[in-house]
Amino acid sequence: MKKDGLVEAVMKAAEVESKKQATAAVDAVFDAITKALSQGDEVKLPGFGVFKVAKRAERMGVNPKTGEKIKIAASVKPKFRAGKLLKEAVK
């Protein structure tokens, strides 16, 4: 499903009259999640899952072509952990 499909599903489920309003609602949800993660907060959606920020320390790796050891910089990445209801729905 792409964003247009999600907007259509929100439109039907929430009985929103216009596609513009449904698009604004979907965008607002993603913007709120993005803003919370950028501030280092977790977003917990009971039954669906948890969005959080994961910090990875600097580490050593190996270039697969040359076998040379390389330093991999520390990084911060978004992560998602699926909730119980989502996992059961996908089975």
Side-chain angles (χ1 to χ4, degrees):
M1 176 184 287
K2 294 185 179 180
K3 184 177 176 184
D4 286 340
L6 182 59
V7 168
E8 292 289 331
V10 167
M11 226 171 107
K12 289 177 185 173
E15 298 177 2
V16 176
E17 305 245 344
S18 75
K19 191 170 185 175
K20 185 176 180 180
Q21 289 175 326
T23 300
V26 169
D27 288 342
V29 169
F30 289 130
D31 288 345
I33 292 170
T34 302
K35 184 176 180 182
L37 292 176
S38 70
Q39 295 173 350
D41 295 335
E42 285 188 352
V43 178
K44 296 179 183 181
L45 304 170
F48 185 74
V50 178
F51 293 92
K52 64 181 182 175
V53 176
K55 297 177 183 176
R56 295 195 65 176
E58 185 177 274
R59 62 196 191 282
M60 295 301 292
V62 177
N63 181 333
K65 284 187 177 181
T66 64
E68 176 186 359
K69 289 193 176 202
I70 56 173
K71 188 183 294 186
I72 302 171
S75 63
V76 179
K77 306 280 187 218
K79 281 192 142 186
F80 176 74
R81 186 178 67 229
K84 183 179 178 182
L85 295 177
L86 180 59
K87 287 179 187 176
E88 290 174 356
V90 175
K91 281 186 179 180

Coordinates of all heavy atoms in Angstrom, one line a residue:
M1 N 0.9 -1.2 0.0 CA 0.0 0.0 0.0 C 0.9 1.2 0.0 O 1.9 1.3 0.8 CB -0.9 0.0 1.2 CG -1.8 1.2 1.3 SD -2.8 1.3 2.8 CE -4.0 0.1 2.5
K2 N 0.5 2.2 -0.8 CA 1.3 3.4 -0.9 C 0.5 4.5 -0.1 O -0.6 4.2 0.4 CB 1.5 3.9 -2.3 CG 2.4 2.9 -3.1 CD 2.6 3.4 -4.5 CE 3.6 2.4 -5.2 NZ 3.9 2.9 -6.5
K3 N 1.0 5.7 -0.1 CA 0.3 6.8 0.7 C -1.1 7.0 0.2 O -2.0 7.2 1.0 CB 1.2 8.1 0.6 CG 0.6 9.2 1.5 CD 1.5 10.4 1.5 CE 0.8 11.5 2.3 NZ 1.6 12.7 2.2
D4 N -1.3 7.0 -1.1 CA -2.7 7.3 -1.6 C -3.6 6.2 -1.1 O -4.8 6.6 -0.8 CB -2.6 7.3 -3.2 CG -2.0 8.6 -3.7 OD1 -2.0 9.6 -3.0 OD2 -1.6 8.5 -4.9
G5 N -3.2 5.0 -1.1 CA -4.1 3.9 -0.6 C -4.4 4.1 0.9 O -5.5 3.9 1.3
L6 N -3.4 4.5 1.7 CA -3.6 4.8 3.1 C -4.6 6.0 3.3 O -5.5 5.9 4.1 CB -2.2 5.1 3.8 CG -2.3 5.4 5.3 CD1 -2.8 4.2 6.0 CD2 -0.9 5.7 5.8
V7 N -4.4 7.0 2.5 CA -5.3 8.1 2.6 C -6.8 7.7 2.3 O -7.7 8.1 2.9 CB -4.9 9.3 1.6 CG1 -6.0 10.3 1.5 CG2 -3.6 9.9 2.1
E8 N -7.0 6.9 1.2 CA -8.3 6.4 0.9 C -8.9 5.5 2.0 O -10.0 5.6 2.4 CB -8.2 5.5 -0.4 CG -7.9 6.3 -1.6 CD -9.1 7.2 -2.1 OE1 -10.2 6.9 -1.8 OE2 -8.8 8.2 -2.7
A9 N -8.0 4.7 2.7 CA -8.5 3.9 3.8 C -8.9 4.7 5.0 O -9.9 4.5 5.6 CB -7.4 2.9 4.2
V10 N -8.1 5.8 5.2 CA -8.5 6.7 6.3 C -9.8 7.4 6.0 O -10.6 7.6 6.9 CB -7.3 7.7 6.6 CG1 -7.7 8.8 7.5 CG2 -6.1 7.0 7.2
M11 N -9.9 7.8 4.8 CA -11.1 8.5 4.4 C -12.4 7.7 4.6 O -13.4 8.2 5.2 CB -11.0 8.8 2.8 CG -11.4 10.2 2.5 SD -11.0 10.5 0.7 CE -12.6 10.4 0.0
K12 N -12.3 6.4 4.3 CA -13.4 5.5 4.5 C -13.7 5.2 5.9 O -14.8 5.2 6.4 CB -13.2 4.2 3.7 CG -13.4 4.4 2.2 CD -13.1 3.2 1.4 CE -13.1 3.4 -0.1 NZ -12.7 2.2 -0.8
A13 N -12.6 4.8 6.6 CA -12.7 4.4 8.0 C -13.2 5.5 9.0 O -14.0 5.3 9.9 CB -11.4 3.8 8.5
A14 N -12.7 6.7 8.7 CA -13.0 7.9 9.6 C -14.2 8.7 9.0 O -14.6 9.7 9.6 CB -11.8 8.8 9.7
E15 N -14.7 8.2 7.9 CA -15.8 8.9 7.2 C -15.5 10.4 7.0 O -16.3 11.2 7.3 CB -17.1 8.7 8.0 CG -17.6 7.3 8.2 CD -18.8 7.1 9.0 OE1 -19.4 8.1 9.5 OE2 -19.2 5.9 9.2
V16 N -14.3 10.6 6.5 CA -13.9 12.0 6.1 C -14.4 12.3 4.8 O -14.4 11.5 3.9 CB -12.4 12.1 6.2 CG1 -11.9 13.5 5.7 CG2 -11.8 11.8 7.6
E17 N -15.0 13.5 4.6 CA -15.6 13.9 3.3 C -14.7 14.1 2.2 O -15.0 13.8 1.0 CB -16.5 15.1 3.6 CG -17.5 14.9 4.7 CD -18.9 15.0 4.2 OE1 -19.1 15.4 3.1 OE2 -19.8 14.5 5.0
S18 N -13.5 14.7 2.4 CA -12.6 15.0 1.3 C -11.3 14.4 1.5 O -10.8 14.1 2.5 CB -12.4 16.6 1.3 OG -11.6 17.0 2.3
K19 N -10.7 14.1 0.3 CA -9.4 13.5 0.2 C -8.3 14.5 0.8 O -7.4 14.0 1.4 CB -9.0 13.2 -1.2 CG -7.8 12.3 -1.4 CD -7.7 11.8 -2.8 CE -6.5 10.9 -2.9 NZ -6.4 10.3 -4.2
K20 N -8.5 15.8 0.7 CA -7.6 16.8 1.2 C -7.6 16.7 2.8 O -6.5 16.7 3.3 CB -8.1 18.2 0.8 CG -7.2 19.3 1.2 CD -7.6 20.6 0.7 CE -6.7 21.7 1.1 NZ -7.1 23.0 0.6
Q21 N -8.7 16.5 3.4 CA -8.7 16.4 4.9 C -8.1 15.1 5.3 O -7.3 15.1 6.3 CB -10.2 16.4 5.4 CG -10.8 17.8 5.3 CD -12.3 17.7 5.7 OE1 -13.0 16.7 5.4 NE2 -12.8 18.8 6.3
A22 N -8.3 14.0 4.6 CA -7.7 12.7 4.9 C -6.2 12.8 4.8 O -5.4 12.3 5.6 CB -8.3 11.6 4.1
T23 N -5.7 13.4 3.7 CA -4.3 13.6 3.5 C -3.7 14.4 4.6 O -2.6 14.1 5.1 CB -4.0 14.3 2.1 OG1 -4.6 13.4 1.1 CG2 -2.6 14.4 1.8
A24 N -4.4 15.5 5.0 CA -3.9 16.3 6.1 C -3.8 15.5 7.4 O -2.8 15.6 8.2 CB -4.8 17.5 6.3
A25 N -4.7 14.6 7.6 CA -4.7 13.8 8.8 C -3.5 12.8 8.8 O -2.8 12.6 9.8 CB -6.0 13.0 9.0
V26 N -3.3 12.1 7.7 CA -2.2 11.2 7.6 C -0.9 11.9 7.7 O 0.0 11.5 8.4 CB -2.3 10.4 6.2 CG1 -1.0 9.6 5.9 CG2 -3.5 9.5 6.2
D27 N -0.7 13.1 7.0 CA 0.5 13.8 7.2 C 0.7 14.3 8.6 O 1.9 14.3 9.1 CB 0.4 15.1 6.2 CG 0.6 14.7 4.8 OD1 1.0 13.6 4.5 OD2 0.2 15.5 3.9
A28 N -0.3 14.7 9.3 CA -0.2 15.1 10.7 C 0.3 14.0 11.6 O 1.2 14.2 12.5 CB -1.5 15.7 11.2
V29 N -0.2 12.8 11.4 CA 0.3 11.6 12.2 C 1.8 11.4 11.9 O 2.6 11.3 12.9 CB -0.5 10.4 11.8 CG1 0.1 9.1 12.4 CG2 -2.0 10.5 12.3
F30 N 2.2 11.4 10.7 CA 3.6 11.1 10.4 C 4.5 12.3 10.8 O 5.6 12.0 11.3 CB 3.8 10.9 8.9 CG 3.3 9.6 8.4 CD1 2.5 9.5 7.3 CD2 3.6 8.4 9.1 CE1 2.0 8.3 6.9 CE2 3.1 7.2 8.6 CZ 2.3 7.1 7.5
D31 N 4.0 13.5 10.7 CA 4.8 14.6 11.2 C 4.9 14.6 12.7 O 6.0 14.9 13.3 CB 4.1 16.0 10.8 CG 4.2 16.3 9.3 OD1 5.0 15.6 8.7 OD2 3.5 17.1 8.9
A32 N 3.9 14.2 13.4 CA 4.0 14.1 14.9 C 5.0 13.0 15.3 O 5.7 13.2 16.3 CB 2.6 13.8 15.5
I33 N 4.9 11.9 14.6 CA 5.9 10.8 14.9 C 7.3 11.2 14.7 O 8.2 11.0 15.5 CB 5.5 9.5 14.2 CG1 4.2 8.9 14.7 CG2 6.7 8.5 14.3 CD1 3.7 7.8 13.8
T34 N 7.5 11.9 13.5 CA 8.8 12.4 13.1 C 9.4 13.4 14.2 O 10.5 13.3 14.6 CB 8.8 13.0 11.7 OG1 8.3 12.0 10.8 CG2 10.2 13.5 11.3
K35 N 8.5 14.3 14.6 CA 8.9 15.3 15.5 C 9.3 14.7 16.9 O 10.3 15.1 17.5 CB 7.8 16.4 15.7 CG 8.2 17.5 16.6 CD 7.1 18.6 16.7 CE 7.5 19.7 17.6 NZ 6.5 20.7 17.7
A36 N 8.5 13.8 17.3 CA 8.8 13.1 18.6 C 10.1 12.4 18.6 O 10.9 12.5 19.5 CB 7.6 12.2 19.0
L37 N 10.3 11.7 17.5 CA 11.6 10.9 17.3 C 12.8 11.9 17.2 O 13.9 11.6 17.8 CB 11.6 10.0 16.1 CG 10.6 8.8 16.2 CD1 10.6 8.0 14.9 CD2 10.9 7.9 17.4
S38 N 12.6 13.0 16.6 CA 13.7 13.9 16.4 C 14.1 14.5 17.8 O 15.2 15.0 17.9 CB 13.4 15.0 15.4 OG 12.4 15.9 15.9
Q39 N 13.2 14.6 18.7 CA 13.4 15.1 20.0 C 13.9 14.0 21.0 O 14.1 14.2 22.2 CB 12.2 15.7 20.6 CG 11.8 17.0 19.8 CD 10.4 17.6 20.2 OE1 9.7 16.9 21.0 NE2 10.1 18.7 19.7
G40 N 14.0 12.7 20.5 CA 14.5 11.6 21.3 C 13.4 10.9 22.1 O 13.7 10.0 22.9
D41 N 12.1 11.2 21.8 CA 11.0 10.6 22.5 C 10.6 9.3 21.8 O 10.9 9.1 20.6 CB 9.8 11.5 22.5 CG 10.0 12.8 23.3 OD1 10.9 12.7 24.2 OD2 9.4 13.8 23.1
E42 N 9.9 8.4 22.5 CA 9.3 7.2 22.0 C 7.8 7.5 21.7 O 7.2 8.4 22.3 CB 9.3 6.1 23.0 CG 10.6 5.4 23.2 CD 10.5 4.2 24.1 OE1 9.4 3.9 24.6 OE2 11.5 3.5 24.2
V43 N 7.3 6.9 20.6 CA 5.9 7.0 20.3 C 5.3 5.6 20.5 O 5.6 4.7 19.7 CB 5.7 7.5 18.9 CG1 4.2 7.5 18.5 CG2 6.3 8.8 18.7
K44 N 4.5 5.4 21.5 CA 3.9 4.1 21.8 C 2.4 4.1 21.4 O 1.6 5.0 21.8 CB 3.9 3.9 23.3 CG 5.4 3.7 23.9 CD 5.4 3.5 25.4 CE 6.8 3.5 25.9 NZ 6.9 3.2 27.3
L45 N 2.1 3.2 20.5 CA 0.7 3.0 20.0 C 0.3 1.6 20.5 O 0.6 0.6 19.9 CB 0.7 3.1 18.5 CG 1.2 4.4 18.0 CD1 1.4 4.3 16.5 CD2 0.4 5.6 18.4
P46 N -0.4 1.5 21.6 CA -0.8 0.2 22.2 C -1.5 -0.7 21.2 O -2.4 -0.3 20.4 CB -1.8 0.6 23.3 CG -1.4 2.0 23.7 CD -1.0 2.6 22.4
G47 N -0.9 -1.9 21.1 CA -1.5 -2.9 20.2 C -0.8 -2.8 18.8 O -0.7 -3.8 18.1
F48 N -0.3 -1.7 18.4 CA 0.3 -1.5 17.1 C 1.8 -1.6 17.2 O 2.4 -2.4 16.5 CB -0.1 -0.2 16.5 CG 0.4 0.0 15.1 CD1 -0.2 -0.6 14.0 CD2 1.5 0.9 14.8 CE1 0.3 -0.5 12.7 CE2 2.0 1.0 13.6 CZ 1.4 0.4 12.5
G49 N 2.4 -0.8 18.1 CA 3.9 -0.9 18.2 C 4.5 0.3 18.8 O 3.8 1.2 19.3
V50 N 5.8 0.3 18.8 CA 6.6 1.4 19.4 C 7.6 1.9 18.4 O 8.4 1.1 17.9 CB 7.3 1.0 20.7 CG1 8.1 2.1 21.3 CG2 6.3 0.4 21.7
F51 N 7.6 3.2 18.2 CA 8.7 3.9 17.4 C 9.6 4.5 18.4 O 9.2 5.1 19.4 CB 8.1 5.0 16.5 CG 7.2 4.6 15.5 CD1 5.8 4.5 15.7 CD2 7.6 4.3 14.2 CE1 4.9 4.1 14.7 CE2 6.8 3.9 13.2 CZ 5.4 3.8 13.4
K52 N 10.9 4.3 18.2 CA 11.9 4.8 19.1 C 13.2 5.1 18.4 O 13.4 4.7 17.2 CB 12.2 3.9 20.3 CG 12.8 2.6 20.0 CD 13.0 1.7 21.2 CE 13.6 0.4 20.9 NZ 13.9 -0.3 22.1
V53 N 14.1 5.8 19.1 CA 15.4 6.2 18.5 C 16.4 5.2 19.1 O 16.5 5.0 20.3 CB 15.7 7.6 18.8 CG1 17.1 8.0 18.4 CG2 14.7 8.6 18.2
A54 N 17.2 4.6 18.2 CA 18.3 3.7 18.7 C 19.7 4.3 18.4 O 19.9 4.8 17.3 CB 18.2 2.4 18.0
K55 N 20.5 4.4 19.4 CA 21.9 4.9 19.2 C 22.8 3.7 19.1 O 22.8 2.8 19.9 CB 22.2 5.7 20.5 CG 21.4 7.0 20.6 CD 21.7 7.8 21.8 CE 20.7 8.9 22.0 NZ 20.9 9.7 23.2
R56 N 23.7 3.8 18.0 CA 24.7 2.8 17.8 C 26.0 3.4 18.1 O 26.4 4.5 17.6 CB 24.6 2.3 16.4 CG 23.3 1.6 16.1 CD 23.3 0.7 14.9 NE 24.3 -0.3 15.1 CZ 24.5 -1.3 14.2 NH1 23.8 -1.3 13.0 NH2 25.4 -2.2 14.4
A57 N 26.8 2.7 18.8 CA 28.2 3.2 19.2 C 29.1 3.0 18.0 O 28.8 2.2 17.1 CB 28.7 2.4 20.4
E58 N 30.2 3.8 18.0 CA 31.2 3.6 17.0 C 31.8 2.2 17.1 O 31.9 1.6 18.2 CB 32.3 4.6 17.2 CG 33.4 4.6 16.1 CD 34.4 5.7 16.4 OE1 34.2 6.8 16.0 OE2 35.4 5.4 17.0
R59 N 32.1 1.6 15.9 CA 32.6 0.2 16.0 C 33.5 -0.1 14.8 O 33.5 0.7 13.8 CB 31.4 -0.8 16.0 CG 30.5 -0.7 14.7 CD 29.2 -1.4 15.0 NE 28.5 -1.6 13.7 CZ 27.8 -0.7 13.1 NH1 27.7 0.6 13.6 NH2 27.1 -0.9 12.0
M60 N 34.2 -1.2 14.8 CA 35.1 -1.6 13.8 C 34.3 -2.6 12.9 O 33.6 -3.4 13.3 CB 36.3 -2.2 14.3 CG 37.2 -1.3 15.1 SD 37.8 0.2 14.2 CE 38.9 -0.6 13.0
G61 N 34.5 -2.4 11.6 CA 34.0 -3.3 10.6 C 35.0 -3.7 9.6 O 36.2 -3.4 9.7
V62 N 34.6 -4.6 8.6 CA 35.5 -5.1 7.6 C 35.0 -4.8 6.2 O 33.8 -5.1 6.0 CB 35.8 -6.6 7.8 CG1 36.7 -7.1 6.7 CG2 36.3 -6.9 9.2
N63 N 35.8 -4.2 5.4 CA 35.4 -4.0 4.0 C 35.3 -5.4 3.3 O 36.4 -6.0 3.2 CB 36.4 -3.1 3.3 CG 36.0 -2.8 1.8 OD1 35.4 -3.6 1.2 ND2 36.5 -1.6 1.3
P64 N 34.2 -5.8 2.8 CA 34.1 -7.1 2.3 C 34.9 -7.4 1.0 O 35.3 -8.5 0.7 CB 32.6 -7.3 2.0 CG 32.0 -6.0 2.0 CD 32.9 -5.1 2.8
K65 N 35.2 -6.3 0.2 CA 36.0 -6.5 -1.0 C 37.5 -6.6 -0.7 O 38.1 -7.5 -1.3 CB 35.8 -5.3 -1.9 CG 34.5 -5.2 -2.6 CD 34.5 -4.1 -3.6 CE 33.2 -4.1 -4.4 NZ 33.2 -3.0 -5.4
T66 N 38.0 -5.8 0.2 CA 39.4 -5.8 0.5 C 39.8 -6.5 1.7 O 41.0 -6.8 1.9 CB 39.9 -4.4 0.5 OG1 39.3 -3.7 1.7 CG2 39.6 -3.6 -0.7
G67 N 38.9 -6.7 2.7 CA 39.2 -7.3 3.9 C 39.9 -6.3 4.9 O 40.2 -6.7 6.0
E68 N 40.0 -5.1 4.5 CA 40.6 -4.0 5.3 C 39.6 -3.6 6.4 O 38.4 -3.5 6.2 CB 40.8 -2.8 4.4 CG 41.3 -1.5 5.1 CD 41.4 -0.3 4.2 OE1 41.0 -0.4 3.0 OE2 41.7 0.7 4.7
K69 N 40.2 -3.4 7.6 CA 39.4 -3.0 8.8 C 39.0 -1.5 8.6 O 39.9 -0.7 8.2 CB 40.1 -3.2 10.1 CG 40.2 -4.7 10.4 CD 40.7 -4.9 11.8 CE 40.6 -6.4 12.1 NZ 40.5 -6.7 13.5
I70 N 37.8 -1.2 8.9 CA 37.3 0.2 8.8 C 36.6 0.6 10.0 O 36.1 -0.2 10.7 CB 36.4 0.4 7.5 CG1 35.2 -0.5 7.6 CG2 37.2 0.3 6.3 CD1 34.2 -0.2 6.5
K71 N 36.6 1.9 10.3 CA 35.9 2.4 11.5 C 34.5 2.9 11.0 O 34.4 3.6 10.1 CB 36.6 3.6 12.1 CG 36.0 4.1 13.4 CD 36.7 5.3 14.0 CE 38.2 5.0 14.3 NZ 38.8 6.1 15.0
I72 N 33.4 2.4 11.7 CA 32.1 2.7 11.4 C 31.6 3.7 12.4 O 31.7 3.4 13.6 CB 31.1 1.5 11.3 CG1 31.6 0.5 10.3 CG2 29.7 1.9 11.1 CD1 30.9 -0.8 10.3
A73 N 31.2 4.9 12.0 CA 30.9 6.0 12.9 C 29.7 5.7 13.7 O 28.8 4.9 13.3 CB 30.7 7.3 12.1
A74 N 29.6 6.3 14.9 CA 28.4 6.2 15.7 C 27.2 6.8 14.9 O 27.4 7.7 14.1 CB 28.6 7.0 17.0
S75 N 26.0 6.3 15.2 CA 24.8 6.8 14.5 C 23.6 6.7 15.3 O 23.5 6.0 16.3 CB 24.6 6.0 13.2 OG 24.4 4.7 13.4
V76 N 22.6 7.4 14.9 CA 21.3 7.4 15.5 C 20.2 7.1 14.5 O 20.2 7.7 13.4 CB 20.9 8.8 16.2 CG1 19.6 8.8 16.8 CG2 22.0 9.2 17.2
K77 N 19.4 6.0 14.7 CA 18.5 5.6 13.7 C 17.1 5.4 14.3 O 17.0 5.0 15.5 CB 18.9 4.2 13.1 CG 20.3 4.1 12.6 CD 20.4 4.7 11.2 CE 21.8 4.4 10.7 NZ 22.3 5.4 9.9
P78 N 16.0 5.6 13.5 CA 14.7 5.3 14.0 C 14.5 3.7 14.0 O 15.0 3.1 13.1 CB 13.8 6.0 13.0 CG 14.6 6.1 11.8 CD 16.0 6.2 12.2
K79 N 13.8 3.2 15.0 CA 13.4 1.8 15.0 C 11.9 1.6 15.3 O 11.3 2.5 15.9 CB 14.2 1.1 16.1 CG 15.6 0.8 15.8 CD 16.2 -0.1 16.8 CE 17.1 -1.1 16.1 NZ 17.6 -2.1 17.0
F80 N 11.4 0.5 14.9 CA 10.0 0.2 15.1 C 9.9 -1.2 15.7 O 10.5 -2.1 15.1 CB 9.2 0.3 13.8 CG 7.7 -0.1 14.1 CD1 6.8 0.7 14.7 CD2 7.3 -1.3 13.6 CE1 5.5 0.3 14.9 CE2 6.0 -1.7 13.8 CZ 5.1 -0.9 14.5
R81 N 9.2 -1.4 16.7 CA 9.0 -2.7 17.3 C 7.5 -3.0 17.3 O 6.7 -2.2 17.9 CB 9.5 -2.8 18.7 CG 9.4 -4.2 19.3 CD 10.0 -4.3 20.7 NE 9.1 -3.5 21.6 CZ 9.6 -2.6 22.5 NH1 10.8 -2.4 22.6 NH2 8.7 -2.0 23.3
A82 N 7.1 -4.0 16.5 CA 5.6 -4.3 16.4 C 5.0 -4.8 17.7 O 5.6 -5.5 18.5 CB 5.5 -5.4 15.3
G83 N 3.8 -4.4 17.9 CA 3.0 -4.8 19.1 C 2.4 -6.1 18.9 O 2.3 -6.7 17.8
K84 N 1.8 -6.6 20.0 CA 1.2 -8.0 20.0 C 0.1 -8.1 19.0 O 0.0 -9.1 18.2 CB 0.7 -8.3 21.4 CG 0.2 -9.7 21.5 CD -0.2 -10.0 22.9 CE -0.9 -11.4 23.0 NZ -1.3 -11.7 24.3
L85 N -0.9 -7.1 19.0 CA -2.0 -7.2 18.1 C -1.6 -7.2 16.6 O -2.2 -7.9 15.8 CB -3.0 -6.1 18.4 CG -3.7 -6.2 19.7 CD1 -4.6 -5.0 19.9 CD2 -4.5 -7.5 19.9
L86 N -0.6 -6.4 16.3 CA -0.1 -6.3 14.9 C 0.6 -7.6 14.5 O 0.3 -8.1 13.4 CB 0.9 -5.1 14.8 CG 1.5 -4.9 13.4 CD1 0.4 -4.7 12.3 CD2 2.5 -3.8 13.4
K87 N 1.3 -8.2 15.4 CA 2.0 -9.4 15.1 C 1.0 -10.5 14.8 O 1.1 -11.3 13.9 CB 2.9 -9.9 16.2 CG 4.2 -9.0 16.4 CD 5.0 -9.5 17.5 CE 6.2 -8.6 17.8 NZ 6.9 -9.0 19.0
E88 N -0.1 -10.6 15.7 CA -1.1 -11.6 15.5 C -1.9 -11.4 14.2 O -2.3 -12.3 13.6 CB -2.0 -11.6 16.7 CG -1.4 -12.1 18.0 CD -2.2 -12.0 19.2 OE1 -3.3 -11.4 19.1 OE2 -1.8 -12.4 20.3
A89 N -2.1 -10.1 13.8 CA -2.9 -9.8 12.6 C -2.2 -10.3 11.4 O -2.8 -10.6 10.3 CB -3.2 -8.4 12.5
V90 N -0.8 -10.3 11.4 CA 0.0 -10.6 10.3 C 0.2 -12.1 10.1 O 0.5 -12.6 9.0 CB 1.4 -9.9 10.4 CG1 2.3 -10.3 9.2 CG2 1.1 -8.4 10.4
K91 N 0.0 -12.9 11.1 CA 0.2 -14.3 11.1 C -0.5 -15.0 9.9 O -1.5 -14.8 9.5 CB -0.2 -15.0 12.4 CG 0.7 -14.8 13.5 CD 0.3 -15.6 14.7 CE 1.3 -15.5 15.8 NZ 0.9 -16.2 17.0

